[in-house]
Amino acid sequence: MSETFIPQLQELAKSARMLALVGASIKLRSDASVAPAIREQIDAGARMALGDVVDVTDEEQLSLAQVMVEMALSEAGELFRNPDRGSNWEILDVAAMQAMGRASKSVFTRIQSIAEAHPGLRKTFQGTFLDVGTGVGGIALEAARLCPDIKVDGIDIWEPALELARKNIAESPYADRVSVRNLDVSMLDEERRYSLAWLPTMFLKRPIVEAALDRIARAFVSDAYLVAGVYSRPDDPFLVLMASLRTLRSGGEISDPADIKAMMEARGYVDIGTSATPIATFVFGRLP
Ligand SMILES: C[S@@+](CC[C@H](N)C(=O)[O-])C[C@H]1O[C@@H](n2cnc3c(N)ncnc32)[C@H](O)[C@@H]1O
């Protein structure tokens, strides 16, 4: 190993630890059991990394920060351990699948906050929501929890995840409003059923996204809303590369929200908007 890049590497390794300290400090806010001396050091480290982050009280900002730390550390760890992994969803580990479900709940919280400024989107919560790639049902159950009138159909092609979804639904108070089935979105065969659909394009090849958009349009009632997700591409060449690698390793192909917008326009969507966080960009629109 050349000696020349070791100091630079030390700086990068320091950043990884700082990130962990910031996440740990936020986590420990709701944990009274930690030894005071340890908490003190963790908080002091987080302050060194980010200033007075430990004193911020805005819950929305704190939970976004927590997701960002969690995602950076778990993505970095997984990439380092399995650089040769291809793109597939055939995860068999129950804990990993359930963790993915918990992490994806925030998708519906975001849809709900977009709806605050879009009454048309809010109206769709009275109808039936199609959750594409429902996995263990994280988004589906969160939708049912947040919207007392919504009904949810979840579809997925990975039976082990669907089995867990059925169990999660049965153990929830929402079994009368949420159901899941094994179906490839490109084979969706409903007509005039859904008022709202979530399409996570980051997990789907381009031809599947195209077919899904055609099938979903047919399955929509009038004035239904589609919300499609892509990983965000911040204005930084390294982060653009990471977003594109993340999309490829997730089984997707599309990393530019403009591509999704163009596909939606071609199918007659109106009132198209976008909502971006550092993690994911949502493209949403209404089909009259
Ligand atoms: C990140 S996971 C979704 C996690 C999910 N929101 C949860 O709560 O567990 C993406 C899912 O998309 C599913 N998927 C991939 N291609 C699909 C397709 N063509 N039709 C339906 N689901 C698909 C995968 O099987 C996988 O479960």
Side-chain angles (χ1 to χ4, degrees), residues 19-60:
L19 190 62
L21 276 174
V22 170
S25 169
I26 297 174
K27 248 186 187 172
L28 289 182
R29 284 163 161 256
S30 52
D31 183 349
S33 67
V34 61
I38 291 180
R39 181 196 294 272
E40 218 169 88
Q41 297 271 305
I42 288 177
D43 287 349
R47 273 203 188 85
M48 281 178 177
L50 215 58
D52 289 336
V53 65
V54 279
D55 305 320
V56 169
T57 53
D58 174 358
E59 279 306 319
E60 200 175 326

Side-chain angles (χ1 to χ4, degrees), residues 89 100-101 104 133-136 138-139 156-158 183-185 203-204:
W89 276 110
M100 185 105 63
S104 56
T134 198
V136 303
I139 300 171
D156 206 293
I157 50 175
W158 182 233
L183 181 70
D184 188 315
V185 62
F203 308 124
L204 307 168

Side-chain angles (χ1 to χ4, degrees), residues 128-183:
T128 304
F129 167 44
L130 173 69
D131 177 27
V132 175
T134 198
V136 303
I139 300 171
L141 286 168
E142 188 65 356
R145 188 179 75 82
L146 293 172
C147 305
D149 297 321
I150 210 165
K151 294 190 183 63
V152 191
D153 285 359
I155 59 170
D156 206 293
I157 50 175
W158 182 233
E159 195 50 43
L162 285 169
E163 265 171 45
L164 279 175
R166 288 185 197 105
K167 182 169 162 282
N168 290 341
I169 293 166
E171 287 170 0
S172 83
Y174 313 113
D176 55 335
R177 290 190 286 127
V178 182
S179 67
V180 296
R181 66 192 154 125
N182 192 327
L183 181 70

